[in-house]
Amino acid sequence: MMRGRSDGVQKKRLITSVCAVTIFLGFLYVYYGSIFGSNSHGASALEYGSRSLRKLGSSYLGGDEDNDGKQDESSMRFALEDGEDEITPKSFPVCDDRHSELIPCLDRNLIYQMRLKLDLSLMEHYERHCPLPERRFNCLIPPPPGYKVPIKWPKSRDEVWKANIPHTHLAHEKSDQNWMVVKGEKIVFPGGGTHFHYGADKYIASIANMLNFSNNKINNEGRLRTVLDVGCGVASFGGYLLSSDVITMSLAPNDVHQNQIQFALERGIPAYLGVLGTQRLPYPSRSFELAHCSRCRIDWLQRDGILLLELDRLLRPGGYFAYSSPEAYAQDEEDLRIWKEMSTLVERMCWRIAEKRNQTVIWQKPLTNDCYMEREPGTQPPLCRSDDDPDKVWGVQMEACISPYSDHDHRVKGSGLAPWPSRLTAAPPRLADFGYSNEMFEKDTEVWQRRVENYWNLLSPKISSNTVRNLMDMKANMGSFGAALKDKDVWAMNVVPEDGPNTLKLIYDRGLIGSVHNWCQAFSTYPRTYDLLHAWTIVSDIVRKDCSPEDLLIEMDRILRPTGFIIFRDKQPVIDYIKKYLAALHWEVVATADSSSDSDPDGDDIVFIIQKKVWLTSESLRDSE
């Protein structure tokens, strides 16, 4: 009916309507397609698991309205050989600002929404529970308002920008313990803790004195190198150990004292989100010379001492457990009961008291299996079954049993490790577990030394001595990438894929630290916590496992700090694929080189280095340094 009318008014109305619709559609495109929000929060409000998020974040992966956003897995793979060209997204949406600290597999909102039935008394709600593919955030995590480029190490050990972690409740709650203090735009860390108000350095010296280490040096002339700090707070204990050439895996859950691990990593101190709950920690047996708990609020007597037995699995022969808690010194009835029961339990575990003084007791684990063999039949806890692999950790339930030593460790009465730093390049005794020769180990060390030198040459226009601090090797193999960084003022989280050779024990034997992980899932860390990621064939591996490479790239972006770097080392088709997503992820190319530049045996590998741009939501991100 309207089509037959020719008066000017109708034409004007029609033109006006078309213009209005065009402008409206254009607004939607800018609003949802751009990462620069125009509202006060600067990000589109995309609900977790909502249709709008799945549509915007997943449609380019093959999702559509009919399947309610479920992703077609075949479309999530890129062809490494046949050269198929896939749809490239113009952009990724930005997650809502309230998700600026999202940890996908440790998200309590997910637990509530999925109505998971978890035993709170066993800390299951602090363990990993990952979203299904259709419930993942396919969006970029924004920085908090006012975010600044982090303060550089070593200054960062003692102060961080408050805007980067805008949580000050710990400063008020622990004000009498000198954990942290708010001073203007910064949060400062005096080095205190629940049981070392006067400084971690004095406390560490007192532990060394209790153990009669020469000159009160905690590293014991290089024989004590790797430490596990359970319930670490803001990781001042581990931070102050670094100056003694001791590296600590500082461990805490994302619990009521939220952001402890986030503070630790912002400071440049090695740390990991984890909990002593129902599953083994992601570290192999005999990894640490010292475990430490300073008022860590753990019920060590629960479930037949299963948590103490997990520490026992992780300690090396002759390793120590330093325990600072009221049970070790208080005289009230309940503390005395706990102390008596703990003493009885550890005695049956063959631990002995190395020293007990003031508020701290230090137990020592035996050097051999002799004590275990001499126990009365039926003594609890029992020895673990002979078919139990103490190094198998990913998704493995803890058991209340003692892991005896290997024949080698029993025979040599210890781990047979060289003191630090010699152990970094000495062939680890456990090489034989993999059928690797000393020559293979030495060759691997040499190859990665050359590769890392080449990486730094390629990065040299962009970095100086203190540009990067927190590094992650996403596929660490024997840890030679991390070993090659010894003379740089950095530390590396060495990640070993859960479905490959469990070489993480070689990495710990070298005096380095790391974790087992499955890269089809998100890593247990806060956003913006690593300065450099090393991705050696990790993207190729993901595709072979039928997992989404797009999800992996988004996860890498989540972990990476603004201005941080990723070193991809992979085949040319993989690099070409990654290049499609540079604009969507707001990454820019730093360098590209083939392997011949470092005389590499894998001559067809391409080295591709990107840097994460600084992108904003509502407030400017200022480089403070």
Side-chain angles (χ1 to χ4, degrees):
M1 184 171 152
M2 287 177 56
R3 192 179 305 155
R5 298 183 61 174
S6 59
D7 60 282
V9 174
Q10 275 307 126
K11 282 186 178 180
K12 284 183 180 180
R13 286 178 180 170
L14 180 59
I15 291 170
T16 301
S17 299
V18 170
C19 290
V21 169
T22 302
I23 291 170
F24 178 70
L25 291 173
F27 171 77
L28 287 180
Y29 173 80
V30 171
Y31 187 75
Y32 287 111
S34 170
I35 67 161
F36 298 98
S38 59
N39 60 10
S40 61
H41 294 290
S44 50
L46 300 173
E47 294 295 330
Y48 189 24
S50 70
R51 182 181 297 271
S52 61
L53 173 59
R54 291 198 301 269
K55 186 67 178 172
L56 280 168
S58 303
S59 59
Y60 63 86
L61 304 179
D64 55 38
E65 202 77 22
D66 294 332
N67 65 11
D68 197 27
K70 293 180 181 177
Q71 299 168 11
D72 178 2
E73 292 186 1
S74 64
S75 72
M76 292 164 60
R77 304 186 57 176
F78 60 85
L80 295 181
E81 297 176 359
D82 62 11
E84 274 186 21
D85 189 26
E86 289 196 4
I87 300 170
T88 304
K90 301 288 186 185
S91 68
F92 289 103
V94 179
C95 298
D96 190 279
D97 273 5
R98 65 179 176 270
H99 301 310
S100 69
E101 293 171 353
L102 175 71
I103 311 159
C105 294
L106 296 171
D107 181 11
R108 274 170 289 184
N109 289 325
L110 175 70
I111 291 173
Y112 299 145
Q113 290 176 19
M114 295 183 69
R115 294 183 174 87
L116 298 179
K117 294 181 180 179
L118 304 175
D119 191 330
L120 304 188
S121 68
L122 302 184
M123 301 297 169
E124 285 185 309
H125 53 308
Y126 295 139
E127 293 183 320
R128 289 174 57 83
H129 304 281
C130 296
L132 296 172
E134 62 268 20
R135 296 186 68 88
R136 287 177 183 163
F137 283 91
N138 292 305
C139 49
L140 303 182
I141 303 295
Y147 179 85
K148 301 182 181 184
V149 172
I151 294 169
K152 306 301 183 187
W153 181 268
K155 193 177 178 183
S156 63
R157 187 195 74 171
D158 302 322
E159 61 180 36
V160 301
W161 294 115
K162 183 173 66 175
N164 291 8
I165 310 178
H167 301 280
T168 58
H169 58 279
L170 274 176
H172 305 301
E173 184 179 340
K174 304 290 185 180
S175 59
D176 61 330
Q177 298 169 16
N178 279 328
W179 279 31
M180 47 193 272
V181 179
V182 178
K183 287 191 176 179
E185 290 189 332
K186 294 178 179 177
I187 295 174
V188 300
F189 301 88
T194 307
H195 267 77
F196 43 94
H197 306 175
Y198 301 107
D201 49 352
K202 297 180 179 64
Y203 176 68
I204 289 165
S206 72
I207 290 176
N209 179 265
M210 290 173 69
L211 293 171
N212 294 317
F213 290 169
S214 60
N215 301 316
N216 293 341
K217 298 294 186 184
I218 193 70
N219 63 7
N220 193 24
E221 300 178 333
R223 288 186 287 272
L224 193 152
R225 165 64 182 169
T226 51
V227 171
L228 176 67
D229 188 16
V230 180
C232 64
V234 293
S236 289
F237 181 72
Y240 278 79
L241 282 170
L242 288 165
S243 59
S244 299
D245 270 344
V246 173
I247 191 163
T248 305
M249 181 65 79
S250 295
L251 184 81
N254 184 23
D255 62 7
V256 291
H257 294 149
Q258 292 176 43
N259 310 96
Q260 297 172 103
I261 295 301
Q262 191 178 19
F263 278 118
L265 291 164
E266 184 76 9
R267 297 171 72 184
I269 300 170
Y272 183 85
L273 272 163
V275 66
L276 282 166
T278 66
Q279 298 188 346
R280 285 177 172 175
L281 294 176
Y283 320 121
S285 68
R286 309 195 300 281
S287 292
F288 301 98
E289 275 94 23
L290 171 71
H292 172 256
C293 156
S294 172
R295 194 68 181 271
C296 52
R297 294 184 171 182
I298 292 174
D299 176 8
W300 295 107
L301 296 173
Q302 64 175 282
R303 291 175 285 161
D304 301 316
I306 195 168
L307 304 184
L308 273 176
L309 290 160
E310 174 66 357
L311 289 190
D312 184 82
R313 181 184 70 84
L314 296 172
L315 283 173
R316 298 197 194 280
Y320 301 97
F321 177 41
Y323 182 58
S324 296
S325 191
E327 296 84 26
Y329 65 89
Q331 296 301 308
D332 65 80
E333 186 176 339
E334 180 62 12
D335 287 329
L336 285 170
R337 181 192 66 80
I338 293 172
W339 171 251
K340 183 177 179 180
E341 291 188 25
M342 280 188 73
S343 299
T344 303
L345 171 61
V346 298
E347 185 178 353
R348 295 197 306 270
M349 291 166 55
C350 293
W351 290 8
R352 69 173 189 88
I353 291 181
E355 185 61 79
K356 184 173 184 286
R357 188 187 304 171
N358 300 328
Q359 301 180 359
T360 302
V361 60
I362 303 177
W363 284 289
Q364 185 175 23
K365 187 180 174 182
L367 281 169
T368 69
N369 289 329
D370 289 344
C371 175
Y372 306 142
M373 300 299 105
E374 294 165 0
R375 299 188 312 163
E376 292 290 329
T379 300
Q380 298 295 318
L383 296 183
C384 296
R385 300 182 311 275
S386 59
D387 62 350
D388 177 75
D389 181 357
D391 299 324
K392 191 173 182 182
V393 296
W394 188 254
V396 175
Q397 295 291 310
M398 292 181 194
E399 289 192 39
C401 59
I402 298 169
S403 298
Y405 299 130
S406 66
D407 291 341
H408 169 271
D409 284 8
H410 174 72
R411 187 171 60 253
V412 302
K413 297 184 177 181
S415 298
L417 299 176
W420 177 266
S422 299
R423 72 172 64 171
L424 185 67
T425 50
R430 292 195 270 189
L431 267 178
D433 294 359
F434 301 90
Y436 296 164
S437 66
N438 289 5
E439 291 73 24
M440 290 170 63
F441 174 80
E442 291 164 5
K443 178 68 173 176
D444 188 72
T445 300
E446 292 170 7
V447 164
W448 281 105
Q449 185 70 46
R450 286 199 306 271
R451 288 176 175 177
V452 169
E453 286 174 5
N454 184 53
Y455 291 160
W456 249 250
N457 289 334
L458 294 170
L459 281 165
S460 59
K462 291 279 191 176
I463 65 170
S464 56
S465 60
N466 67 349
T467 302
V468 295
R469 170 63 183 168
N470 303 348
L471 277 65
M472 179 187 287
D473 190 2
M474 298 175 70
K475 185 181 177 182
N477 194 27
M478 288 189 275
S480 294
F481 170 85
L485 299 167
K486 178 183 179 297
D487 295 329
K488 305 184 188 305
D489 206 1
V490 302
W491 67 274
M493 178 69 76
N494 294 279
V495 181
V496 171
E498 46 80 33
D499 60 344
N502 192 2
T503 53
L504 193 57
K505 56 186 174 183
L506 304 181
I507 290 166
Y508 274 93
D509 284 357
R510 299 182 77 167
L512 305 173
I513 61 169
S515 172
V516 173
H517 185 62
N518 179 353
W519 282 114
C520 292
Q521 302 174 3
F523 193 76
S524 292
T525 192
Y526 283 87
R528 302 173 300 280
T529 45
Y530 284 88
D531 298 298
L532 186 148
L533 307 178
H534 178 239
W536 172 44
T537 68
I538 201 76
V539 182
S540 296
D541 294 344
I542 280 291
V543 175
R544 281 191 286 270
K545 293 170 72 169
D546 274 340
C547 296
S548 165
E550 289 90 349
D551 284 350
L552 177 63
L553 295 178
I554 292 173
E555 171 63 6
M556 293 168 77
D557 185 77
R558 184 187 73 87
I559 293 173
L560 195 63
R561 285 172 167 173
T563 73
F565 302 91
I566 302 177
I567 302 173
F568 291 97
R569 188 183 196 93
D570 221 313
K571 301 296 185 267
Q572 185 66 60
V574 177
I575 303 304
D576 292 340
Y577 175 83
I578 294 167
K579 286 179 179 178
K580 297 178 182 179
Y581 291 88
L582 296 180
L585 292 161
H586 306 280
W587 296 351
E588 60 184 2
V589 179
V590 171
T592 307
D594 59 44
S595 301
S596 61
S597 60
D598 49 23
S599 305
D600 200 271
D602 296 330
D604 57 346
D605 278 352
I606 302 297
V607 176
F608 183 60
I609 304 177
I610 66 91
Q611 184 174 26
K612 181 176 177 176
K613 292 181 184 178
V614 174
W615 55 268
L616 319 175
T617 50
S618 58
E619 298 189 26
S620 63
L621 186 159
R622 295 163 290 169
D623 189 337
S624 60
E625 296 296 289

